Amino acid sequence: MTVLIDIVKDQARSENGQRAAALSAKYETMTPQDILRDAIRNEFFGDITLSSSFGADSAVLLHMVSEIDPNLPVLFLDTDRHFFQTLQYRDELKAKLGLQNLVVLKADETEAATEDAKGTLWRTHPDACCDLRKVRPLNRVMERYGAWISGRKRHQSSTRANLPIVEWDGKHFKVNPLAKWTQADLDAYFAQHDLPPHPLVEQGFPSIGCFTCTKPVEQGQDARSGRWADSEKVECGIHNPIYGGEGI
Ligand code: SF4
């Protein structure tokens, strides 16, 4: 019986992988707005959510989603270590875009008290800190959904250069509608829709995470080079390395 269940699971995994590849091919020539419309209203209707860091580029995807379905659940991982500017920006965008379903996720209090009693895990074991404050809270909520939308882009770093538009990670589909967009595309969208910038962008932060683990970057560096800048860590762990790069 167990063998049969494993065979069925393998088959499902394979079918989902094929579905992700077919959707990626279909979406490659579509605009981000058309990709979102098809994913939200058709392919993953009622079974998809958006994860947003409310960082430097987040307003673009949030604006697009707000025009398609302002009731779509928007997940925000509150690590207790965000810049206060990010929390203010989150509230500003929620009001401006009319987002009706912002879901704030936090680490389990008991797990945080046990695993990070001193609040210094970010310095001693950053992977464990991201797992406690990002990966597990997100995984708990994602039990309810089959797919989620992420704002990752190919131009952000060498580890994201081959990012497909739709991925199957073994449990969920991930839709990356902005994968093909450049910084110029994003800047033009901000201007066209009069979207407010994250206040830290003008201070040299093109990618914004926790204040403990984010530094400003020099002109010409990878946008994400200021994240965990003093370590080998490049991603937080909420995305698996399934496209030849490394997990987030
Ligand atoms: S980015 Fe840093 S502070 Fe934030 S969850 Fe990860 S290790 Fe912890």
Side-chain angles (χ1 to χ4, degrees):
M1 187 63 180
T2 308
V3 173
L4 182 60
I5 291 171
D6 286 345
I7 290 172
V8 171
K9 281 183 178 173
D10 280 348
Q11 194 175 0
R13 270 197 286 270
S14 161
E15 285 172 4
N16 286 329
Q18 288 171 14
R19 183 182 173 195
L23 279 175
S24 282
K26 170 181 158 185
Y27 287 165
E28 193 65 37
T29 56
M30 290 167 61
T31 65
Q33 292 95 326
D34 286 342
I35 294 170
L36 283 168
R37 221 170 272 120
D38 188 63
I40 293 170
R41 294 182 180 168
N42 179 32
E43 288 289 343
F44 304 108
F45 179 72
D47 195 30
I48 189 166
T49 180
L50 164 66
S51 161
S52 179
S53 64
F54 287 84
D57 303 326
S58 297
V60 170
L61 205 47
L62 290 165
H63 179 266
M64 290 176 180
V65 164
S66 74
E67 294 204 316
I68 297 167
D69 181 4
N71 293 304
L72 193 87
V74 175
L75 309 181
F76 174 72
L77 288 158
D78 185 348
T79 61
D80 283 329
R81 279 133 182 79
H82 281 293
F83 292 94
F84 74 89
Q85 292 95 331
T86 297
L87 301 180
Q88 287 179 344
Y89 188 58
R90 177 196 66 188
D91 295 342
E92 179 186 357
L93 286 181
K94 177 178 182 286
K96 180 178 174 66
L97 303 179
L99 300 170
Q100 301 297 312
N101 198 358
L102 177 66
V103 182
V104 178
L105 308 176
K106 298 192 79 157
D108 177 88
E109 284 186 13
T110 304
E111 290 177 356
T114 305
E115 299 170 30
D116 192 14
K118 294 180 181 171
T120 55
L121 198 60
W122 65 272
R123 189 186 299 129
T124 54
H125 296 96
D127 284 342
C129 184
C130 281
D131 188 61
L132 168 70
R133 299 182 185 282
K134 293 184 176 181
V135 178
R136 275 180 267 162
L138 185 66
N139 284 349
R140 281 192 279 269
V141 165
M142 285 309 298
E143 293 290 328
R144 301 180 213 154
Y145 300 99
W148 52 298
I149 300 160
S150 118
R152 289 172 298 159
K153 293 157 284 281
R154 291 171 186 160
H155 78 84
Q156 284 177 306
S157 67
S158 57
T159 58
R160 294 184 176 181
N162 298 316
L163 181 69
I165 297 179
V166 180
E167 306 162 84
W168 168 248
D169 71 0
K171 287 186 177 173
H172 301 95
F173 291 95
K174 292 181 197 167
V175 183
N176 308 304
L178 299 178
K180 293 182 297 177
W181 269 26
T182 64
Q183 191 58 51
D185 294 324
L186 296 164
D187 292 345
Y189 193 93
F190 263 86
Q192 184 184 357
H193 297 279
D194 195 24
L195 296 174
H198 190 299
L200 291 177
V201 170
E202 66 174 12
Q203 296 180 37
F205 292 84
S207 177
I208 301 157
C210 297
F211 66 83
T212 42
C213 305
T214 309
K215 288 183 174 176
V217 308
E218 300 293 330
Q219 196 79 26
Q221 288 184 309
D222 265 4
R224 286 180 61 82
S225 62
R227 308 288 295 277
W228 306 283
D230 298 325
S231 76
E232 296 294 307
K233 184 173 169 65
V234 293
E235 302 278 2
C236 74
I238 62 176
H239 300 286
N240 292 330
I242 60 173
Y243 52 88
E246 301 190 43
I248 277 186

